[in-house]
Amino acid sequence: EFDLGPDQEICQGESVTFDTGLFGFAHEWNTGAPAPFITVSTNGEYAVEVRNGSCLRSDTVNVTVIPQLFLSLIEPPAECESDPVQLNGVIGFSDGFSWNTGETTPSITVTESGTYTLSAFNSCFSGSVSATVTFVDIPENLLGADRVGCAGDSVLLSGLFPNGSYFWNTGQSGSSIYVTESGTYSVTLNYLGCLRSDEVEVELVDYVPVDEIIMPNIFAPSGDSRNTPFRPFHPADPAQYLCELSVLDVDLSVYNRWGGMLTEEGDCEWRGTFNNEDLPEGTYYYIVTLKSVCRDQGGERRIDGHFTLLRD
Protein backbone atom coordinates (compact mmCIF):
# COMPACT_ATOMS: atom_id res chain seq x y z
CA GLU A 1 0.00 0.00 0.00
CA PHE A 2 1.18 3.58 -0.69
CA ASP A 3 -0.32 7.08 -0.87
CA LEU A 4 0.93 10.02 -2.92
CA GLY A 5 -0.87 12.36 -0.54
CA PRO A 6 -3.41 15.14 -1.17
CA ASP A 7 -3.62 17.34 -4.22
CA GLN A 8 -1.07 20.15 -4.20
CA GLU A 9 -1.00 23.88 -4.96
CA ILE A 10 2.35 25.41 -5.70
CA CYS A 11 3.53 28.85 -6.82
CA GLN A 12 4.90 29.39 -10.28
CA GLY A 13 8.64 28.71 -10.15
CA GLU A 14 8.32 26.12 -7.36
CA SER A 15 8.24 22.32 -7.61
CA VAL A 16 6.86 19.40 -5.61
CA THR A 17 8.07 15.81 -5.23
CA PHE A 18 5.82 12.72 -5.03
CA ASP A 19 7.31 9.48 -3.66
CA THR A 20 5.73 6.03 -3.34
CA GLY A 21 8.27 4.97 -0.74
CA LEU A 22 8.51 1.57 -2.40
CA PHE A 23 11.89 0.37 -3.63
CA GLY A 24 12.59 -2.79 -5.56
CA PHE A 25 9.30 -2.65 -7.43
CA ALA A 26 8.51 -1.65 -10.97
CA HIS A 27 7.18 1.92 -11.26
CA GLU A 28 5.50 3.53 -14.21
CA TRP A 29 4.43 7.18 -14.00
CA ASN A 30 2.20 8.76 -16.60
CA THR A 31 5.15 11.06 -17.30
CA GLY A 32 7.18 8.00 -18.33
CA ALA A 33 9.43 8.11 -15.28
CA PRO A 34 10.38 4.62 -13.89
CA ALA A 35 11.61 5.78 -10.45
CA PRO A 36 9.77 5.58 -7.11
CA PHE A 37 9.51 9.38 -7.08
CA ILE A 38 9.10 12.32 -9.46
CA THR A 39 9.53 16.08 -9.10
CA VAL A 40 7.10 18.27 -11.07
CA SER A 41 6.48 22.03 -11.50
CA THR A 42 3.56 22.20 -13.92
CA ASN A 43 -0.21 21.83 -13.72
CA GLY A 44 -1.60 18.39 -14.24
CA GLU A 45 -2.70 15.01 -12.98
CA TYR A 46 0.13 12.69 -12.02
CA ALA A 47 -0.49 8.95 -11.80
CA VAL A 48 1.76 6.00 -10.99
CA GLU A 49 1.39 2.22 -11.22
CA VAL A 50 3.56 -0.04 -9.04
CA ARG A 51 3.93 -3.75 -9.95
CA ASN A 52 5.21 -6.72 -8.06
CA GLY A 53 4.84 -9.57 -10.43
CA SER A 54 1.16 -9.79 -11.09
CA CYS A 55 0.21 -7.53 -8.19
CA LEU A 56 -0.65 -3.90 -9.12
CA ARG A 57 -1.27 -0.81 -7.06
CA SER A 58 -1.84 2.78 -8.37
CA ASP A 59 -2.52 6.28 -7.12
CA THR A 60 -3.21 9.72 -8.62
CA VAL A 61 -2.57 13.25 -7.44
CA ASN A 62 -3.35 16.67 -8.96
CA VAL A 63 -1.02 19.68 -9.04
CA THR A 64 -2.25 23.26 -9.50
CA VAL A 65 0.33 25.97 -10.23
CA ILE A 66 -0.60 29.48 -9.07
CA PRO A 67 0.70 31.71 -11.88
CA GLN A 68 2.61 34.94 -11.54
CA LEU A 69 0.39 38.04 -11.56
CA PHE A 70 0.01 40.03 -14.76
CA LEU A 71 -0.57 43.78 -14.42
CA SER A 72 -0.44 46.47 -17.07
CA LEU A 73 -1.35 50.16 -17.05
CA ILE A 74 -0.60 52.51 -19.94
CA GLU A 75 0.44 56.05 -19.00
CA PRO A 76 -1.65 58.51 -21.03
CA PRO A 77 -0.21 61.58 -22.77
CA ALA A 78 -0.64 65.00 -21.17
CA GLU A 79 -4.22 66.24 -21.23
CA CYS A 80 -4.35 69.73 -22.78
CA GLU A 81 -8.07 70.49 -22.55
CA SER A 82 -8.76 69.36 -18.95
CA ASP A 83 -11.15 66.62 -20.09
CA PRO A 84 -11.46 63.59 -17.75
CA VAL A 85 -8.95 60.79 -18.40
CA GLN A 86 -9.82 57.08 -18.19
CA LEU A 87 -7.17 54.67 -16.89
CA ASN A 88 -7.68 51.06 -17.99
CA GLY A 89 -5.88 48.41 -16.00
CA VAL A 90 -5.15 44.97 -17.50
CA ILE A 91 -5.15 42.33 -14.75
CA GLY A 92 -4.39 38.60 -15.01
CA PHE A 93 -4.32 35.73 -12.48
CA SER A 94 -5.53 37.91 -9.63
CA ASP A 95 -7.67 37.07 -6.62
CA GLY A 96 -8.32 40.77 -5.95
CA PHE A 97 -7.24 44.28 -6.93
CA SER A 98 -7.68 47.93 -5.98
CA TRP A 99 -6.52 51.45 -6.85
CA ASN A 100 -4.85 53.92 -4.52
CA THR A 101 -8.05 55.96 -4.91
CA GLY A 102 -9.96 53.18 -3.13
CA GLU A 103 -11.83 52.06 -6.25
CA THR A 104 -12.02 48.36 -7.14
CA THR A 105 -13.07 48.49 -10.80
CA PRO A 106 -10.67 47.63 -13.65
CA SER A 107 -10.99 51.18 -15.04
CA ILE A 108 -11.19 54.53 -13.28
CA THR A 109 -11.80 58.10 -14.45
CA VAL A 110 -9.53 60.85 -13.06
CA THR A 111 -9.77 64.63 -13.23
CA GLU A 112 -6.65 65.70 -11.33
CA SER A 113 -2.93 65.44 -12.02
CA GLY A 114 -1.18 62.77 -9.97
CA THR A 115 0.19 59.23 -9.83
CA TYR A 116 -2.40 56.47 -9.84
CA THR A 117 -1.45 52.97 -8.67
CA LEU A 118 -3.20 49.68 -9.38
CA SER A 119 -2.41 46.82 -6.94
CA ALA A 120 -3.36 43.12 -7.17
CA PHE A 121 -2.66 39.82 -5.40
CA ASN A 122 -3.25 36.09 -5.43
CA SER A 123 -2.32 33.39 -2.95
CA CYS A 124 1.33 33.46 -4.05
CA PHE A 125 2.10 36.88 -5.44
CA SER A 126 1.32 40.58 -5.11
CA GLY A 127 2.29 43.53 -7.25
CA SER A 128 1.43 47.01 -8.44
CA VAL A 129 1.81 49.30 -11.46
CA SER A 130 1.52 53.09 -11.63
CA ALA A 131 0.77 55.75 -14.20
CA THR A 132 1.14 59.51 -13.93
CA VAL A 133 -1.63 61.69 -15.30
CA THR A 134 -0.77 65.29 -16.16
CA PHE A 135 -3.37 67.96 -16.83
CA VAL A 136 -1.71 70.95 -18.50
CA ASP A 137 -3.14 74.39 -17.71
CA ILE A 138 -1.44 76.98 -19.92
CA PRO A 139 -2.84 80.52 -19.57
CA GLU A 140 -4.41 81.94 -22.72
CA ASN A 141 -2.82 85.33 -22.05
CA LEU A 142 0.69 83.97 -22.32
CA LEU A 143 2.58 87.24 -22.83
CA GLY A 144 0.57 89.66 -20.71
CA ALA A 145 -0.38 93.19 -21.71
CA ASP A 146 0.93 95.20 -24.66
CA ARG A 147 4.19 97.03 -24.03
CA VAL A 148 5.18 100.67 -24.41
CA GLY A 149 8.84 101.61 -24.21
CA CYS A 150 11.33 104.22 -25.28
CA ALA A 151 12.94 104.40 -28.69
CA GLY A 152 16.46 103.11 -28.25
CA ASP A 153 15.44 100.77 -25.45
CA SER A 154 15.37 97.01 -25.52
CA VAL A 155 11.97 95.76 -24.32
CA LEU A 156 11.75 92.41 -22.54
CA LEU A 157 9.07 89.97 -23.69
CA SER A 158 8.69 86.99 -21.41
CA GLY A 159 6.28 84.05 -21.39
CA LEU A 160 4.22 83.67 -18.22
CA PHE A 161 4.33 79.85 -18.26
CA PRO A 162 7.59 78.51 -16.76
CA ASN A 163 7.84 75.24 -18.71
CA GLY A 164 7.98 74.06 -22.30
CA SER A 165 9.59 75.30 -25.49
CA TYR A 166 8.94 78.80 -26.86
CA PHE A 167 9.18 79.70 -30.56
CA TRP A 168 8.89 83.39 -31.59
CA ASN A 169 7.98 84.94 -34.93
CA THR A 170 11.42 86.56 -34.84
CA GLY A 171 12.97 83.11 -35.31
CA GLN A 172 14.24 83.06 -31.73
CA SER A 173 13.54 80.42 -29.10
CA GLY A 174 13.48 80.56 -25.32
CA SER A 175 10.95 81.87 -22.83
CA SER A 176 12.22 85.49 -23.05
CA ILE A 177 13.51 87.78 -25.78
CA TYR A 178 14.47 91.45 -26.08
CA VAL A 179 13.07 93.56 -28.94
CA THR A 180 14.19 96.98 -30.13
CA GLU A 181 11.52 97.86 -32.69
CA SER A 182 7.81 98.61 -32.57
CA GLY A 183 5.60 95.86 -33.94
CA THR A 184 3.55 92.75 -33.28
CA TYR A 185 5.40 89.87 -31.66
CA SER A 186 3.90 86.40 -31.41
CA VAL A 187 5.02 83.18 -29.75
CA THR A 188 3.97 79.53 -29.71
CA LEU A 189 4.54 77.39 -26.63
CA ASN A 190 4.85 73.60 -26.77
CA TYR A 191 4.62 71.83 -23.43
CA LEU A 192 4.18 68.05 -23.32
CA GLY A 193 2.56 68.23 -26.76
CA CYS A 194 0.12 70.96 -25.69
CA LEU A 195 0.30 74.10 -27.84
CA ARG A 196 -0.62 77.69 -26.98
CA SER A 197 -0.06 80.85 -29.03
CA ASP A 198 -0.25 84.51 -28.07
CA GLU A 199 0.86 87.89 -29.40
CA VAL A 200 1.65 91.30 -27.99
CA GLU A 201 2.00 94.80 -29.43
CA VAL A 202 5.17 96.76 -28.69
CA GLU A 203 5.24 100.54 -29.20
CA LEU A 204 8.49 102.45 -28.78
CA VAL A 205 8.07 106.22 -28.36
CA ASP A 206 10.59 109.04 -28.30
CA TYR A 207 12.44 109.48 -25.04
CA VAL A 208 11.97 112.78 -23.16
CA PRO A 209 15.11 113.75 -21.19
CA VAL A 210 13.95 114.75 -17.71
CA ASP A 211 16.74 117.31 -17.35
CA GLU A 212 15.24 119.35 -20.22
CA ILE A 213 11.74 119.59 -18.75
CA ILE A 214 10.79 122.93 -17.18
CA MET A 215 7.90 124.41 -15.16
CA PRO A 216 6.02 127.68 -15.93
CA ASN A 217 6.32 130.62 -13.54
CA ILE A 218 2.96 132.20 -14.44
CA PHE A 219 -0.37 130.38 -14.68
CA ALA A 220 -3.64 131.93 -15.89
CA PRO A 221 -6.47 129.34 -15.86
CA SER A 222 -8.86 131.20 -18.16
CA GLY A 223 -10.13 128.01 -19.75
CA ASP A 224 -9.21 128.95 -23.35
CA SER A 225 -7.00 126.79 -25.54
CA ARG A 226 -3.97 129.03 -24.98
CA ASN A 227 -3.92 128.43 -21.25
CA THR A 228 -3.31 124.81 -20.33
CA PRO A 229 -3.34 123.54 -16.76
CA PHE A 230 -0.25 124.12 -14.64
CA ARG A 231 2.03 121.23 -15.54
CA PRO A 232 5.57 120.44 -16.71
CA PHE A 233 6.42 120.88 -20.38
CA HIS A 234 9.31 120.48 -22.80
CA PRO A 235 10.37 123.83 -24.33
CA ALA A 236 11.19 122.23 -27.68
CA ASP A 237 7.59 121.01 -27.95
CA PRO A 238 5.36 122.92 -25.49
CA ALA A 239 2.19 121.33 -26.90
CA GLN A 240 3.36 117.82 -26.05
CA TYR A 241 1.28 116.52 -23.17
CA LEU A 242 3.84 114.93 -20.87
CA CYS A 243 1.15 113.69 -18.50
CA GLU A 244 0.01 111.12 -21.06
CA LEU A 245 3.46 109.73 -21.83
CA SER A 246 3.66 106.15 -20.63
CA VAL A 247 7.45 106.44 -20.49
CA LEU A 248 7.39 109.25 -17.93
CA ASP A 249 6.08 109.28 -14.35
CA VAL A 250 5.11 112.74 -13.07
CA ASP A 251 4.12 113.54 -9.48
CA LEU A 252 3.12 117.19 -8.96
CA SER A 253 2.37 118.75 -5.57
CA VAL A 254 1.05 122.33 -5.31
CA TYR A 255 0.89 124.28 -2.00
CA ASN A 256 -0.55 127.59 -0.86
CA ARG A 257 1.50 130.14 1.09
CA TRP A 258 0.64 128.40 4.39
CA GLY A 259 1.89 125.01 3.18
CA GLY A 260 -1.53 123.53 2.53
CA MET A 261 -1.43 120.88 -0.18
CA LEU A 262 -3.83 121.59 -3.04
CA THR A 263 -3.24 118.46 -5.13
CA GLU A 264 -3.41 114.73 -4.56
CA GLU A 265 -0.65 112.19 -4.70
CA GLY A 266 0.12 111.19 -8.27
CA ASP A 267 -1.36 114.33 -9.88
CA CYS A 268 0.39 115.57 -13.00
CA GLU A 269 -1.38 118.91 -13.46
CA TRP A 270 -3.29 121.56 -11.50
CA ARG A 271 -6.20 123.73 -12.69
CA GLY A 272 -6.17 126.39 -9.99
CA THR A 273 -8.92 124.89 -7.84
CA PHE A 274 -9.35 123.22 -4.48
CA ASN A 275 -12.45 121.27 -3.51
CA ASN A 276 -13.94 122.29 -6.90
CA GLU A 277 -13.62 126.01 -6.10
CA ASP A 278 -11.43 128.50 -7.94
CA LEU A 279 -8.55 129.82 -5.86
CA PRO A 280 -7.59 133.53 -5.88
CA GLU A 281 -4.66 135.13 -7.60
CA GLY A 282 -1.40 134.94 -5.74
CA THR A 283 1.83 133.08 -5.31
CA TYR A 284 1.80 129.32 -5.00
CA TYR A 285 4.54 126.76 -4.54
CA TYR A 286 5.19 123.41 -6.18
CA ILE A 287 7.33 120.31 -6.04
CA VAL A 288 7.39 118.02 -9.05
CA THR A 289 9.18 114.70 -9.38
CA LEU A 290 9.96 113.44 -12.89
CA LYS A 291 11.06 109.89 -13.49
CA SER A 292 11.75 108.20 -16.79
CA VAL A 293 10.67 104.58 -16.94
CA CYS A 294 12.87 103.79 -19.94
CA ARG A 295 14.89 100.63 -19.49
CA ASP A 296 18.22 101.54 -21.03
CA GLN A 297 18.05 105.31 -20.69
CA GLY A 298 16.36 107.38 -18.11
CA GLY A 299 16.80 109.44 -15.02
CA GLU A 300 15.00 111.11 -12.18
CA ARG A 301 14.70 114.78 -11.34
CA ARG A 302 12.99 116.94 -8.73
CA ILE A 303 12.04 120.55 -9.45
CA ASP A 304 10.66 122.94 -6.82
CA GLY A 305 9.80 126.61 -6.96
CA HIS A 306 6.95 129.10 -7.01
CA PHE A 307 4.64 130.57 -9.61
CA THR A 308 2.00 133.28 -9.89
CA LEU A 309 -1.64 132.47 -10.51
CA LEU A 310 -3.41 135.19 -12.53
CA ARG A 311 -7.08 135.51 -13.38
CA ASP A 312 -8.73 137.60 -16.07
Side-chain angles (χ1 to χ4, degrees), residues 149-185:
C150 298
D153 269 2
S154 54
V155 176
L156 176 66
L157 302 180
S158 185
L160 301 179
F161 193 75
N163 304 311
S165 300
Y166 284 82
F167 302 95
W168 300 82
N169 63 341
T170 61
Q172 297 167 276
S173 60
S175 60
S176 299
I177 63 171
Y178 285 94
V179 298
T180 57
E181 297 180 358
S182 297
T184 302
Y185 294 88

Side-chain angles (χ1 to χ4, degrees), residues 61-126:
V61 68
N62 289 288
V63 174
T64 301
V65 177
I66 307 301
Q68 177 70 49
L69 281 173
F70 176 79
L71 286 175
S72 177
L73 183 60
I74 297 176
E75 188 164 288
E79 174 55 47
C80 306
E81 302 299 332
S82 299
D83 293 332
V85 171
Q86 187 175 56
L87 294 178
N88 299 307
V90 179
I91 309 162
F93 312 115
S94 168
D95 294 335
F97 58 89
S98 65
W99 298 83
N100 59 343
T101 61
E103 295 168 274
T104 56
T105 54
S107 299
I108 61 172
T109 300
V110 299
T111 57
E112 297 180 359
S113 296
T115 299
Y116 295 86
T117 302
L118 173 63
S119 301
F121 64 90
N122 60 26
S123 58
C124 287
F125 304 100
S126 63

Side-chain angles (χ1 to χ4, degrees), residues 102-251:
E103 295 168 274
T104 56
T105 54
S107 299
I108 61 172
T109 300
V110 299
T111 57
E112 297 180 359
S113 296
T115 299
Y116 295 86
T117 302
L118 173 63
S119 301
F121 64 90
N122 60 26
S123 58
C124 287
F125 304 100
S126 63
S128 63
V129 289
S130 297
T132 298
V133 177
T134 302
F135 290 91
V136 178
D137 185 15
I138 303 176
E140 291 187 9
N141 189 1
L142 192 57
L143 296 177
D146 293 341
R147 311 289 202 279
V148 177
C150 298
D153 269 2
S154 54
V155 176
L156 176 66
L157 302 180
S158 185
L160 301 179
F161 193 75
N163 304 311
S165 300
Y166 284 82
F167 302 95
W168 300 82
N169 63 341
T170 61
Q172 297 167 276
S173 60
S175 60
S176 299
I177 63 171
Y178 285 94
V179 298
T180 57
E181 297 180 358
S182 297
T184 302
Y185 294 88
S186 61
V187 70
T188 297
L189 169 66
N190 185 339
Y191 177 60
L192 300 178
C194 299
L195 301 178
R196 179 78 75 196
S197 297
D198 194 16
E199 65 179 27
V200 65
E201 294 288 338
V202 175
E203 180 186 5
L204 300 181
V205 299
D206 291 336
Y207 166 63
V208 179
V210 295
D211 55 356
E212 297 179 9
I213 296 174
I214 62 175
M215 297 294 294
N217 56 15
I218 297 177
F219 170 47
S222 62
D224 60 40
S225 59
R226 296 174 299 164
N227 291 276
T228 61
F230 180 75
R231 58 176 174 80
F233 68 95
H234 193 281
D237 186 6
Q240 185 181 33
Y241 191 46
L242 300 183
C243 294
E244 291 184 345
L245 288 182
S246 58
V247 294
L248 187 67
D249 284 340
V250 181
D251 188 0

Side-chain angles (χ1 to χ4, degrees), residues 266-310:
D267 281 351
C268 179
E269 62 183 21
W270 185 59
R271 296 182 176 272
T273 62
F274 184 67
N275 289 336
N276 294 322
E277 294 185 3
D278 291 341
L279 294 180
E281 293 184 342
T283 300
Y284 293 85
Y285 303 85
Y286 69 87
I287 299 174
V288 62
T289 301
L290 307 164
K291 183 178 180 181
S292 171
V293 299
C294 296
R295 177 183 298 276
D296 302 327
Q297 54 190 337
E300 186 171 347
R301 181 185 176 199
R302 169 178 159 148
I303 309 173
D304 57 66
H306 63 275
F307 64 96
T308 301
L309 187 152
L310 300 176

